[in-house]
Amino acid sequence: MAWRRSGVRIPIAPPLRVVRVVIIAAETSFDEAEIFHLYDSVGWTVWTRDIAKVCRALANSHLVLAARTDDGRLVGLARTVSDDEVVCYVQELLVDKEFQGQGIGRRLLEQLMERYAHCRYFVLTTDHESTPDGPANHAFYRRMGLVEHHEQGLSAFGRRVEGEND
């Protein structure tokens, strides 16, 4: 498990009001068990089917920011695919269900937005608003200042992936 104590520290308050510190730092190596636990905590079953593949994808990303408690528990993650000139694609942004609503996702996304401020295109994909998590996701990204492609006179297209709408 590779993580650094240098980085941004975010105080958070779990339900018991015990103040914890969350440290956000770039990481380059990934433990399959803790990655599985994080992705499983948010119900990303398509990803957890082949966690070794997910870890390879993380290792091959432009940047991976991990959010960890002061005792080292992985509670959030954001990763980008980018040319670091024109385009930054936020491939994943997730926070363990137990830690959602405490500002971790906001801080991860803020760091990415700052890091890639020079890129013309800062893009991410999320579930449609009609899905169970859609309304909350859309509201979060709007609060963060992001807008849907069509609101910018743009469209996004993707190849249909069969069997991944679990």
Side-chain angles (χ1 to χ4, degrees), residues 39-102:
Y39 283 66
D40 188 57
S41 81
V42 295
W44 287 17
T45 57
V46 170
W47 298 95
T48 58
R49 289 179 192 158
D50 189 348
I51 207 66
K53 185 176 194 174
V54 172
C55 289
R56 289 190 307 272
L58 291 168
N60 287 315
S61 297
H62 191 256
L63 175 66
V64 177
L65 294 179
R68 294 186 179 275
T69 59
D70 53 0
D71 64 358
R73 179 177 172 191
L74 180 66
V75 296
L77 182 138
R79 84 170 174 119
T80 63
V81 178
S82 178
D83 59 19
D84 205 16
E85 293 292 336
V86 178
V87 177
C88 171
Y89 181 78
V90 180
Q91 172 56 38
E92 278 133 47
L93 174 64
L94 62 156
V95 175
D96 188 306
K97 283 278 191 203
E98 181 183 332
F99 288 80
Q100 289 180 2
Q102 300 179 36

Side-chain angles (χ1 to χ4, degrees), residues 25-26 40 67 125 134 139 142 164:
D40 188 57
T125 303
R142 287 191 180 283
E164 289 201 10

Side-chain angles (χ1 to χ4, degrees), residues 119-124 141-142 145-156:
C119 289
R120 174 164 170 60
Y121 297 105
F122 184 86
V123 182
L124 64 84
Y141 293 125
R142 287 191 180 283
L146 301 178
V147 296
E148 291 189 54
H149 279 49
H150 69 87
E151 296 174 53
Q152 301 175 69
L154 301 170
S155 291

